[in-house]
Amino acid sequence: MSYDTTPLMSLHPSRGRHTTATAGVCLMELVSVVAGEPFSDHPQCVHPALALAARVVNDQVGDTVRQGLVPLLPQMMSGPRRDLRAGPVIALSCLDAALARDDDRRLRARRRHLLGYLDRLDARGGLGRMTELRCRLAVFTAVRSAAARVRLHGQACLAQMLADATHTYSAIGAPAIGASPLPSAPQHDGALVAAAG
């Protein structure tokens, strides 16, 4: 789907949740306006895990850094939202950003857990209902945990975590053989690249 993104650069998102667009917008509320959806910080056109990462980062960075994230919004809106691998891949990207800065046993365990879900998805083509719910919980917990760790290293690192997650998300399902990587795409280890491609 194509969106008119002209209003994106003229609006200045702010911290927090807002009741109306005239009261202000966070990054995800801005997406809902541009997409023509009901005003919300949970837009339907963005994968829930990526929307969570965007809300967390939105509320942890200053105005200048937040405005610098606005160009990512069209990419967030046009990714493979319905792909079952998207949530774990987004969470793995966030965990990779955290683990690149600090080695943490709990974050590594979350990473292994998510890779297990991806292995099951690849082997079976889907997850059972309860396993799918556990996977979603693991994804959201991993995104929050990674953001909390990355936040210790500053706003620029948080913004980079969101940018990397967005680029990785948009690469899901993209042809990997013979294709050159995007110059701005994050470089991850083989497991995450295999999951994304």
Side-chain angles (χ1 to χ4, degrees):
M1 178 165 221
S2 176
Y3 301 99
D4 178 14
T5 57
T6 307
L8 286 176
M9 294 313 289
S10 63
L11 294 173
H12 300 282
S14 58
R15 275 191 175 97
R17 185 181 224 178
H18 305 87
T19 54
T20 66
T22 56
V25 292
C26 72
L27 290 169
M28 290 296 95
E29 291 165 342
L30 179 55
V31 165
S32 73
V33 169
V34 170
E37 297 181 10
F39 187 75
S40 169
D41 64 349
H42 288 71
Q44 293 298 307
C45 62
V46 177
H47 190 279
L50 191 57
L52 172 63
R55 285 190 303 275
V56 169
V57 171
N58 179 84
D59 293 346
Q60 299 292 326
V61 299
D63 292 341
T64 303
V65 174
R66 189 179 305 106
Q67 187 66 30
L69 295 170
V70 170
L72 291 174
L73 300 183
Q75 203 171 1
M76 289 181 187
M77 296 164 65
S78 60
R81 189 183 188 298
R82 302 241 186 277
D83 191 312
L84 295 175
R85 299 171 301 162
V89 167
I90 292 163
L92 284 166
S93 179
C94 293
L95 287 170
D96 284 351
L99 288 167
R101 289 162 180 80
D102 293 315
D103 189 28
D104 182 280
R105 168 182 60 79
R106 290 168 297 186
L107 294 179
R108 283 192 321 271
R110 290 186 196 289
R111 190 175 190 290
R112 281 191 304 274
H113 199 67
L114 289 166
L115 287 171
Y117 285 121
L118 285 174
D119 287 343
R120 281 184 245 170
L121 277 168
D122 287 342
R124 300 178 192 157
L127 301 171
R129 183 72 182 137
M130 288 305 294
T131 304
E132 184 180 329
L133 291 173
R134 284 188 204 106
C135 179
R136 284 184 191 174
L137 179 61
V139 164
F140 294 135
T141 303
V143 169
R144 286 191 180 281
S145 298
R149 180 55 62 107
V150 172
R151 183 176 70 126
L152 300 174
H153 298 278
Q155 294 182 23
C157 292
L158 266 175
Q160 188 60 52
M161 180 193 81
L162 181 59
D164 288 352
T166 301
H167 297 310
T168 302
Y169 167 64
S170 66
I172 296 172
I177 299 174
S180 60
L182 297 172
S184 60
Q187 300 301 313
H188 295 286
D189 69 7
L192 185 54
V193 171

